[in-house]
Amino acid sequence: FGMPSTNPAPFGNQMDDDREADGKPLSEASWQAMPLGYDANFLSVPLPLPAILAQNSAQAAPLKDGVSIVLDYLHFSTIIHAERKFAMLTAVNIHGEKLGNPGKRAGSWRRDIRMADEYQPAGNFYETKLSDDPVQFSRGHLVRRVDPCWGTPDEVKLGEKHTFHYTNAAPQVQRYNDVDWGNLEDYLLDKAQTKEQKLTVFTGPMFRKTDPEYGHDREGGPWQIPVSFWKVAVLQKTGTVLAAAGFVVGQIEFLRPLYESRVFSALTPYTNAELQSRHIQVPISSIEEQTGFDFSAIRPFDAVGGLEATRQVRIIAKPDDIVI
């Protein structure tokens, strides 16, 4: 979906953001300055996180308060998987009519003071100088920096700042992050912005038991690296009409050198199709089956769910191939 950049970064090269120092965590007081969090009633159909989490809530990492499992930021929320230590689910509200441009990136990645450090792989995971691993990962936004940037100018800036938390980061190969995943996100944001519509997006890694391990010699390692990510977008087309679409985008093609260098093992569970860089629109029910999340409230609006079985899985080569 989209063409690679004209000067893609060589696989494994240090990227500027791989070398940056972690920012200072935001203070406790800063989290009480204004209402925060994903709004379950943002669209015409309520989409509460507890219902979507379903049985996965038992695997969520707790906040330091010992009660909550949801980290609330401006216009979005994240839930961390306690064992995998990356977000299992993010949810963001995007208001196309009120979107603002935060300008050139100003944020630094930082830990969230509200959650124990053990659930937040930070600089010690991403810094290239800390290991001679044959490939390095970039900090991949799950809720990307421009999505919650709407409202007043101050809210636009704060929304971007909040996305630069390690609780919103996942290990992604830079070219995958820029091209494959990024192009899909561009399309969805444009869909909301050009028609001044509301859009809610749920995102997460496709956690599998067979995901390969990485970073044995890094502090807190090893970690299992997700080889694909899913996204469910819900668009408010009119005042009462929703449309939804589910996507799975894999980075296994970019991880191939790690298998070849024997840093990763267990290549065999993946099919030939999974070994290709694919951009796939799938029925939302398929994402439910693979993740355990419950999107039953969205299922009736699935753009491909009602198509005949042979047309439900769609290879995305260009924006026109997306159905929503």
Side-chain angles (χ1 to χ4, degrees), residues 134-152:
V135 99
Q136 307 289 342
F137 289 98
S138 292
R139 301 155 169 86
H141 279 82
L142 292 175
V143 172
R144 68 176 185 162
R145 75 180 188 96
V146 295
D147 285 354
C149 295
W150 53 271
T152 67

Side-chain angles (χ1 to χ4, degrees), residues 83-84 86 171 208-214 222-226:
E83 182 178 349
R84 299 295 292 266
F86 299 113
R208 297 181 175 95
K209 292 181 179 179
T210 53
D211 284 340
E213 291 185 348
Y214 175 83
W223 293 269
Q224 283 186 282
I225 302 299

Side-chain angles (χ1 to χ4, degrees), residues 163-276:
T163 66
F164 282 91
H165 279 88
Y166 283 111
T167 50
N168 183 45
Q172 294 180 348
V173 176
Q174 187 66 33
R175 185 178 171 193
Y176 165 84
N177 179 261
D178 286 345
V179 180
D180 297 53
W181 191 244
N183 285 350
L184 173 59
E185 293 175 321
D186 285 346
Y187 172 84
L188 294 173
L189 188 67
D190 184 65
K191 194 80 170 176
Q193 180 175 267
T194 56
K195 297 183 180 300
E196 298 186 341
Q197 294 170 318
K198 290 182 177 181
L199 176 70
T200 289
V201 181
F202 303 96
T203 303
M206 193 72 78
F207 289 138
R208 297 181 175 95
K209 292 181 179 179
T210 53
D211 284 340
E213 291 185 348
Y214 175 83
H216 287 78
D217 58 345
R218 292 176 182 265
E219 181 184 350
W223 293 269
Q224 283 186 282
I225 302 299
V227 299
S228 57
F229 293 80
W230 60 268
K231 190 179 291 287
V232 172
V234 190
L235 184 69
Q236 189 77 57
K237 299 195 79 167
T238 69
T240 57
V241 177
L242 298 180
F247 305 91
V248 175
V249 182
Q251 63 174 347
I252 188 73
E253 177 71 11
F254 301 109
L255 300 181
R256 187 188 297 274
L258 291 176
Y259 286 99
E260 293 173 347
S261 67
R262 301 184 185 277
V263 173
F264 285 175
S265 57
L267 180 62
T268 51
Y270 303 103
T271 66
N272 288 335
E274 287 175 312
L275 289 173
Q276 299 177 27

Side-chain angles (χ1 to χ4, degrees), residues 5-195:
S5 59
T6 55
N7 295 296
F11 190 86
N13 270 17
Q14 278 191 327
M15 307 300 295
D16 288 341
D17 63 335
D18 290 336
R19 297 191 299 268
E20 71 179 30
D22 290 352
K24 182 180 178 181
L26 302 182
S27 67
E28 290 281 2
S30 69
W31 297 112
Q32 303 168 7
M34 64 173 61
L36 300 173
Y38 157 80
D39 181 1
N41 298 306
F42 187 66
L43 304 179
S44 59
V45 173
L47 303 172
L49 286 183
I52 292 171
L53 277 171
Q55 75 267 20
N56 285 329
S57 61
Q59 302 176 55
L63 273 61
K64 287 181 179 177
D65 63 15
V67 178
S68 307
I69 61 172
V70 180
L71 286 162
D72 287 330
Y73 302 95
L74 186 63
H75 302 146
F76 73 98
S77 298
T78 72
I79 299 99
I80 307 300
H81 193 289
E83 182 178 349
R84 299 295 292 266
K85 302 180 182 179
F86 299 113
M88 68 165 83
L89 175 70
T90 67
V92 60
N93 306 123
I94 303 171
H95 201 309
E97 186 179 1
K98 299 180 179 180
L99 276 170
N101 186 346
K104 186 178 180 180
R105 172 190 157 172
S108 294
W109 287 94
R110 67 192 75 228
R111 295 180 187 267
D112 192 315
I113 199 172
R114 298 171 295 174
M115 177 170 278
D117 289 352
E118 66 181 283
Y119 302 119
Q120 304 178 66
N124 55 6
F125 177 90
Y126 295 98
E127 289 284 352
T128 61
K129 65 184 179 182
L130 297 181
S131 174
D132 59 358
D133 293 319
V135 99
Q136 307 289 342
F137 289 98
S138 292
R139 301 155 169 86
H141 279 82
L142 292 175
V143 172
R144 68 176 185 162
R145 75 180 188 96
V146 295
D147 285 354
C149 295
W150 53 271
T152 67
D154 286 343
E155 288 174 322
V156 169
K157 292 179 181 178
L158 185 61
E160 184 212 19
K161 186 175 185 178
H162 279 187
T163 66
F164 282 91
H165 279 88
Y166 283 111
T167 50
N168 183 45
Q172 294 180 348
V173 176
Q174 187 66 33
R175 185 178 171 193
Y176 165 84
N177 179 261
D178 286 345
V179 180
D180 297 53
W181 191 244
N183 285 350
L184 173 59
E185 293 175 321
D186 285 346
Y187 172 84
L188 294 173
L189 188 67
D190 184 65
K191 194 80 170 176
Q193 180 175 267
T194 56
K195 297 183 180 300

Side-chain angles (χ1 to χ4, degrees), residues 273-323:
E274 287 175 312
L275 289 173
Q276 299 177 27
S277 176
R278 289 292 180 88
H279 326 281
I280 304 174
Q281 181 171 0
V282 299
I284 291 171
S285 60
S286 173
I287 295 175
E288 291 179 283
E289 291 168 6
Q290 296 181 71
T291 64
F293 293 119
D294 184 351
F295 289 111
S296 55
I298 303 170
R299 220 180 295 143
F301 311 104
D302 188 353
V304 301
L307 300 178
E308 60 187 84
T310 56
R311 298 176 59 206
Q312 286 184 340
V313 176
R314 303 172 61 85
I315 305 299
I316 306 301
K318 56 185 184 303
D320 290 346
D321 294 333
I322 294 176
V323 178

